[in-house]
Amino acid sequence: MYLVEIRFECFADTTLSAVERAINGLMEAWRHNGQLLGREFPLVQNEAEFRLRAMCPESDSLHSRFHSDWAREALAGLTDAKLLQPRVKMLGRDINSEASSETVPTEWQVLYTTYVHSCSPLRDGNTMMPVPLYRLPATFNGDHKAVVKWQTEWQACDELQMAGSGQVEFAALAEIADPQSTLFRRGWDLRGRIEYLTGVPTYYYLYRVGGESLEAERARPCPRCGNPEWALDEPLHDLFYFKCDACRIVSNLSWDLH
């Protein structure tokens, strides 16, 4: 991922509320198209100029060829707030973050995230490198807001269950581990939408904890279709021990039994 500085300069008298509304609207448009990563974008004023820093998947993520209609509309709206078009300065690559896939997957891909990841939730199945969402056809309504929203909710549930917050922990765990949960159904449907748009087999990661024993865990069937043969001879990426091609689901060996 790359750190960029984005500058907005006023060309006439304006109001702070108008500036905030215009800039924040653009940040949301870029974020929901996968061009910006993260959720918070602190904005600093220096006289007639406003600056913020943000993370991008690639060095050219904010190029106009990747913009959604929402982003183009937000850019045009800057004029109403008396702001010039933004100037983007590349500050450098973040060495603590994952590099994005340089190519769009052609063999298979997977929706996978955790609460510690801020990168794209779509991964190349062969390399597990994140795939920038804006390189895909728009998922719904011209951008990838539905995917970003799903990722935010999945990460929130993951953080709650990792923190062990009493009854909330069990409710959050059910959302990411139960194939009957609302979050699973929404994510699995998004997976199908992405597969339809890209023509690439797209899988969904189903979180797994619990289990009685290692032997019983390895013998468990696919929780969606009951396929008893979905256990892999060798795990993929030291993470996926199960893969159901019919249901397009991958899963880990129970974290309780590692």
Side-chain angles (χ1 to χ4, degrees):
M1 295 191 287
Y2 291 80
L3 180 65
V4 298
E5 182 177 71
I6 308 172
R7 299 183 179 185
F8 301 86
E9 186 176 352
C10 299
F11 63 81
D13 289 340
T14 185
T15 64
L16 189 59
S17 61
V19 168
E20 289 178 333
R21 184 166 55 252
I23 294 177
N24 290 337
L26 177 59
M27 296 304 104
E28 284 299 291
W30 277 339
R31 175 176 176 259
H32 286 139
N33 199 40
Q35 293 171 266
L36 291 184
L37 302 171
R39 305 178 197 177
E40 298 183 4
F41 309 103
L43 185 62
V44 177
Q45 180 182 7
N46 181 18
E47 296 183 349
E49 184 180 69
F50 297 83
R51 301 182 185 183
L52 60 80
R53 292 186 176 185
M55 298 298 297
C56 295
E58 301 173 292
S59 59
D60 61 346
S61 296
L62 297 183
H63 193 282
S64 59
R65 68 179 179 276
F66 298 130
H67 291 347
S68 64
D69 289 342
W70 181 10
R72 294 188 184 94
E73 183 179 339
L75 283 165
L78 294 175
T79 302
D80 295 334
K82 305 300 187 290
L83 292 169
L84 296 173
Q85 291 297 289
R87 291 180 294 167
V88 179
K89 179 181 179 182
M90 176 60 56
L91 298 180
R93 183 171 177 176
D94 177 15
I95 61 175
N96 289 322
S97 64
E98 295 184 73
S100 296
S101 176
E102 295 182 356
T103 58
V104 176
T106 56
E107 295 187 27
W108 72 288
Q109 53 198 4
V110 57
L111 271 182
Y112 168 83
T113 191
T114 74
Y115 79 96
V116 299
H117 288 116
S118 59
C119 58
S120 167
L122 185 68
R123 304 289 188 117
D124 186 316
N126 290 333
T127 65
M128 280 302 283
M129 297 179 74
V131 181
L133 294 177
Y134 52 80
R135 292 196 174 276
L136 311 176
T139 313
F140 289 106
N141 301 319
D143 63 13
H144 300 285
K145 181 178 180 178
V147 178
V148 174
K149 188 173 185 295
W150 167 84
Q151 180 184 25
T152 300
E153 293 181 17
W154 204 103
Q155 290 175 333
C157 289
D158 189 31
E159 187 167 11
L160 283 172
Q161 68 92 17
M162 288 295 291
S165 304
Q167 293 301 315
V168 175
E169 170 192 356
F170 300 111
L173 177 59
E175 287 297 314
I176 62 177
D178 185 349
Q180 301 301 318
S181 72
T182 300
L183 188 60
F184 172 88
R185 291 196 298 269
R186 188 169 349 118
W188 195 82
D189 286 345
L190 284 169
R191 170 219 63 80
R193 178 68 175 171
I194 293 171
E195 178 169 323
Y196 171 77
L197 292 169
T198 62
V200 177
T202 307
Y203 289 70
Y204 184 92
Y205 169 60
L206 184 65
Y207 187 87
R208 171 68 175 174
V209 293
E212 297 178 359
S213 67
L214 189 59
E215 181 179 8
E217 176 68 9
R218 291 186 182 278
R220 71 182 175 96
C222 171
R224 191 170 185 275
C225 71
N227 174 18
E229 306 294 334
W230 75 318
L232 300 172
D233 293 333
E234 296 292 335
L236 296 171
H237 310 297
D238 292 322
L239 174 61
F240 305 136
Y241 284 74
F242 303 90
K243 184 170 182 274
C244 181
D245 294 324
C247 295
R248 294 288 200 258
I249 293 175
V250 292
S251 189
N252 59 284
L253 190 70
S254 173
W255 296 114
D256 291 339
L257 301 174
H258 271 280

